[in-house]
């Protein structure tokens, strides 16, 4: 299937000469949740803004549903809903009018049933006659999402949907995003929270210093780069690693009570069974053992670190 969004060699140099995007290419598949993960200043908002036609790229191209964002702006933009990073809603307007108005801006005919559906799915129906300023922070964010969904876009961009939001609201947002995906909306969200990308995304793109360092299925990312560690707790402190265990590359902790063994959990042979037999053979008694999977955080920090080194 053709990607819903296709980004090719996109660069953006702002007036003043700052290169915020240095050649980004990316295809976004219909129906996926893609998280663009990167630190502040990485270029996430610039990338989203260029895809939505709000920032003119210096070079490169973007097409949305086959429409070029620059040459066929209206057709391309109609397929996109954008929830910006900053809360921008008219304080005195009523919720329902805010959403109706937004639909009108896209030249879509009135459809009260759709507006009702959107407001209900965001738990805003009971608040439809409230003024925006009377709403809590979490509700205001939901109004922004309702606005973005008012014209029935196929793709929804959420720019840092949970920045500065408390834990409860963050979890609500995650739930909401899953429900939207369930309704067939393609979702691209930016975040600098690794946990959020790990929790939400089907695919994760890591962006830093205007470059897309990688984009990969989340499971694949953890699979490829994730390593597992087997931690063995000994009954008695060990003076040194016995020569019969030298081949395993074990490390002994400072308290001399823990041995750790790094392995690839997807390899045909992890070496674990033999290691445990050799440990017994060396006369070591175990009190406990556990395994630990590298988190996306480990992977991300490594990538950003290595990426910086490459660029420098
Ligand atoms: N209008 C602008 N003019 C000049 N520089 C900008 C402008 N907007 C963003 N930048 C710079 O581009 C870089 C990327 O910004 P941005 O895309 O907002 O990053 P992110 O959303 O990942 O935090 C930052 O260094 C920022 O200061
Ligand atoms: Mg941003």
């Amino acid at each position: 299937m053709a990607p819903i969004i296709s980004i090719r060699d996109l660069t953006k140099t702002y007036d003043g000469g700052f290169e915020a995007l240095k050649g980004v290419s990316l295809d976004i598949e219909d129906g996926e949740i893609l998280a663009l993960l990167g630190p502040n200043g990485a270029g996430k908002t610039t990338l989203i803004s260029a895809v939505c036609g709000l920032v003119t790229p210096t070079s490169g191209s973007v097409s949305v549903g086959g429409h070029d964002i620059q040459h066929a702006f209206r057709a391309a933009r109609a397929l996109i809903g954008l929830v910006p990073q900053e809360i921008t809603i008219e304080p005195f307007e009523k919720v329902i009018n805010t959403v109706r108005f937004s639909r009108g801006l896209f030249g879509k005919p009135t459809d009260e049933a759709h507006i009702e559906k959107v407001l209900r799915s965001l738990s805003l129906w009971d608040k439809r006659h409230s003024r925006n300023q009377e709403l809590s922070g979490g509700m205001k964010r939901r109004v922004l999402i309702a606005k973005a969904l008012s014209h029935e876009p196929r793709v929804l961009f959420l720019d840092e949907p949970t920045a500065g939001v408390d834990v409860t609201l963050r979890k609500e947002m995650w739930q909401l995003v899953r429900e939207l995906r369930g309704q067939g909306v393609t979702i691209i969200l930016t975040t600098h929270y690794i946990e959020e990308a790990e929790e939400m995304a089907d695919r994760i793109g890591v962006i830093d210093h205007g470059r897309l360092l990688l984009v990969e299925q989340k499971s694949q990312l953890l699979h490829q780069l994730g390593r597992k560690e087997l931690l063995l707790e000994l009954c008695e402190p060990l003076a040194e690693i016995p020569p019969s265990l030298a081949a395993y590359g074990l490390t002994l902790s400072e308290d001399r009570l823990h041995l750790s063994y790094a392995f690839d959990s997807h390899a045909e042979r992890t070496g674990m069974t033999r290691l445990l037999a050799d440990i017994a053979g060396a006369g070591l008694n175990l009190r406990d053992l556990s395994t630990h999977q590298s988190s996306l955080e480990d992977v991300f920090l490594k990538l950003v670190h290595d990426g910086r080194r490459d660029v420098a």
Side-chain angles (χ1 to χ4, degrees), residues 28 33 52 59-60 64 71 80 83 146 166 168 226 239 246 250 266 302:
I28 296 164
I33 300 181
C52 297
S59 66
V64 183
H71 301 119
I80 297 174
V83 182
D166 70 31
T168 318
L250 304 174
H266 306 289
K302 182 174 185 311

Side-chain angles (χ1 to χ4, degrees), residues 39-46 48 85-86 159-160 190 192:
N40 282 324
K44 302 182 296 295
T45 297
T46 304
I48 284 194
Q85 198 168 345
E86 307 295 332
D159 196 0
E160 308 242 7
T190 71
H192 60 269

Side-chain angles (χ1 to χ4, degrees), residues 1-7 26-32 51 62-67 76 79-80 153-155 186-188:
M1 203 165 41
I4 179 85
I5 293 184
S6 192
I7 302 168
L26 173 64
D27 282 339
I28 296 164
E29 304 300 329
D30 211 359
E32 73 172 334
V51 174
V62 175
S63 79
V64 183
H67 308 287
L79 299 176
I80 297 174
R154 285 175 61 192
V155 187
T186 304
I187 292 161
I188 295 100

Side-chain angles (χ1 to χ4, degrees), residues 74 99-110 115 150-151:
R74 289 183 68 87
V99 180
R100 279 180 185 141
F101 178 68
S102 194
R103 181 178 172 89
L105 280 182
F106 285 90
K108 286 263 182 174
T110 308
I115 303 288
S150 66
H151 62 286

Side-chain angles (χ1 to χ4, degrees), residues 7-18:
I7 302 168
R8 284 288 164 273
D9 305 321
L10 204 65
T11 71
K12 176 63 188 178
T13 305
Y14 282 112
D15 296 343
F18 186 82

